[in-house]
């Protein structure tokens, strides 16, 4: 009812718990209701089930999802070892029915916070046709402080593991989810200095160049 009377809403996300834990019929009814609202242009589903229970992505589910485009599914692979033959097949089946698949990883101390693992995760995602979308800073929920890194760590990993070291397709947005919305925390080391004439820029190798400054 709220969505029907809120024409400013054009994008609806179904998420947490996990929408793929619903029966296929129930999820079909929810998506069908959204399809009937003219101003809703796209629908998104956030799910970790393709990672943890890939057999859920079966033929009935895929045939149902194919009726509800444009539809985007964001999964959550946090480590390259989660990309197995079975999880890759689940992603392939989603893609084959026209669903766009992205990844939202969480930065986890001791799990994916080293350069080699972080790079391998994002390269393997592309290998199974998933576009890295977000890396989230681990939220301060009770009992998980041992998984939290310094906030700067994610930006450092993007700088040291991805930028210049692999394709730009493998580079997600690093964000922290706060009470005032998502705040980007991307590495800010490119513009070293500027004056009226030019910018001084630095790349991932520490090399410098200048670029003309065009005033507004």
């Amino acid at each position: 009812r709220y969505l029907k009377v809120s024409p400013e809403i054009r994008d609806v996300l179904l998420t947490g718990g996990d929408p793929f834990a619903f029966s296929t019929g129930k999820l079909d009814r929810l998506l069908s209701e959204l399809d009937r609202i003219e101003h809703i242009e796209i629908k998104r589903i956030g799910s970790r089930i393709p990672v943890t229970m890939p057999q859920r992505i079966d033929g009935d589910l895929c045939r149902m999802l194919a009726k509800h485009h444009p539809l985007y599914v964001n999964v959550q692979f946090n480590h390259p070892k989660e990309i197995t033959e079975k999880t890759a097949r689940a992603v392939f089946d989603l893609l084959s029915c026209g669903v766009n698949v992205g990844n939202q990883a969480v930065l986890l101390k001791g799990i994916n916070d080293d350069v080699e693992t972080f790079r391998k995760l994002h390269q393997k995602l592309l290998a199974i046709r998933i576009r890295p979308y977000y890396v989230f800073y681990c939220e301060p929920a009770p009992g998980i402080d041992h998984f939290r890194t310094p906030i700067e760590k994610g930006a450092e990993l993007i700088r040291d593991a991805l930028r210049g070291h692999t394709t730009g397709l493998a580079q997600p947005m690093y964000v922290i989810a706060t009470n005032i919305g998502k705040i980007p925390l991307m590495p800010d080391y490119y513009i070293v200095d500027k004056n009226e004439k030019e910018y001084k820029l630095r790349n991932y190798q520490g090399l410098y160049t200048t670029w003309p400054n065009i005033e507004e």
Side-chain angles (χ1 to χ4, degrees), residues 68-132:
H68 297 292
H69 293 306
L71 183 63
Y72 294 76
V73 171
N74 284 318
V75 294
Q76 188 188 115
F77 287 93
N78 292 323
H79 192 279
K81 287 185 177 179
E82 292 181 312
I83 301 175
T84 66
E85 184 177 339
K86 290 181 179 180
T87 59
R89 180 69 203 191
V91 171
F92 177 84
D93 289 343
L94 288 171
L95 292 165
S96 296
C97 69
V99 172
N100 298 278
V101 182
N103 192 67
Q104 300 184 152
V106 177
L107 182 61
L108 299 169
K109 184 177 181 179
I111 304 295
N112 58 15
D113 66 333
D114 64 275
V115 166
E116 182 179 355
T117 302
F118 197 78
R119 184 184 300 153
K120 188 174 182 180
L121 168 63
H122 289 88
Q123 289 176 333
K124 288 189 73 173
L125 287 169
L126 287 184
I128 62 169
R129 294 191 291 163
I130 296 179
R131 181 70 186 268

Side-chain angles (χ1 to χ4, degrees), residues 123-211:
Q123 289 176 333
K124 288 189 73 173
L125 287 169
L126 287 184
I128 62 169
R129 294 191 291 163
I130 296 179
R131 181 70 186 268
Y133 178 34
Y134 279 138
V135 169
F136 280 100
Y137 179 71
C138 188
E139 295 185 17
I144 62 169
D145 281 354
H146 58 294
F147 285 125
R148 296 172 63 208
T149 67
I151 287 179
E152 295 87 353
K153 187 66 175 181
E156 291 171 359
L157 285 166
I158 290 173
R159 179 193 67 197
D160 298 337
L162 302 180
R163 288 281 169 89
H165 300 282
T166 190
T167 172
L169 290 171
Q171 296 173 21
M173 178 72 72
Y174 177 46
V175 297
I176 185 168
T178 77
N179 61 323
I180 57 172
K182 297 185 185 75
I183 296 176
L185 299 170
M186 297 299 286
D188 183 17
Y189 61 90
Y190 303 110
I191 299 176
V192 178
D193 195 10
K194 75 172 183 176
N195 55 42
E196 292 181 357
K197 288 187 175 182
E198 63 187 16
Y199 287 88
K200 183 177 182 181
L201 307 176
R202 181 175 61 209
N203 76 352
Y204 73 101
Q205 296 171 311
L207 301 176
Y208 294 89
T209 189
T210 58
W211 204 257

